[in-house]
Amino acid sequence: ELARLLARACVAERLTVVSGLALGCDTWAHRGALEVEGRTVAVLGSGIRLLTPKENAELGRRIAETGAVVSELPPWVGPSSSRLLARNRLQVALSQVVIVVQAGPSGGAMSTAERAFRTGRPVCVVTWPVGLEKTEGNEKLLQAGGRPLTGPEEIPELARMVRENLERVLREEPGEGSQKTLFADQDQTEE
């Protein structure tokens, strides 16, 4: 339910929801965005002709009507553990901020958050009571520097931060041989 409410709040701020079409928080984030006629992007760990999991195939078709379903794989390639983890790289690349609603000690949410940290993307982590089942990853990410997130009421501030970073990048003139990124500490210059 919280993933759904966070997605709805993002859409209210004119943000696009990017997620992985997996069962659980991904499902509800996509549904939340669609419920308020927002944009959402589903990043697959399979080809686009094999919408998986099967339980979310219809949801994937609905997303394709108003948003996008993307994959870097050939259309008929099935999912695998390595392909599902590789899709997390694409989710981070398409996102300006990564929000972790619920994460165990390992798995897709942790992989996505770790990639976001490495690329300088902000990672917002829902705070849950300590010891709650399947939130060990949240605790670990908060200790690693994730920004605490308590609920949808904080999304307007997060959206403001994203817009300010984007405006800053668009105002700056890139130097010769430099590659602009959304976050200042990640701008790179070729040597």
Side-chain angles (χ1 to χ4, degrees), residues 54-126:
K54 290 178 184 176
E55 297 88 341
N56 279 349
E58 180 56 33
L59 177 60
R61 286 189 274 284
R62 285 184 49 216
I63 291 167
E65 291 173 4
T66 59
V69 176
V70 299
S71 174
E72 65 183 342
L73 300 167
W76 295 105
V77 171
S80 69
S81 295
S82 63
R83 291 177 185 138
L84 291 168
L85 287 174
R87 96 168 148 205
N88 299 336
R89 173 181 48 79
L90 295 176
Q91 287 178 279
V92 170
L94 292 170
S95 302
Q96 301 307 317
V97 174
V98 171
I99 298 174
V100 176
V101 176
Q102 184 179 22
S106 62
M110 290 298 288
S111 169
T112 303
E114 289 166 4
R115 285 181 183 273
F117 278 134
R118 284 197 307 267
T119 59
R121 298 288 198 278
V123 177
C124 295
V125 184
V126 171

Side-chain angles (χ1 to χ4, degrees), residues 19-23 26-27 30 42-44 51-53 56 59-60 63:
S19 202
L21 200 65
L23 294 176
D26 288 7
T27 299
H30 290 305
V43 183
L44 304 180
L51 290 176
T52 60
N56 279 349
L59 177 60
I63 291 167

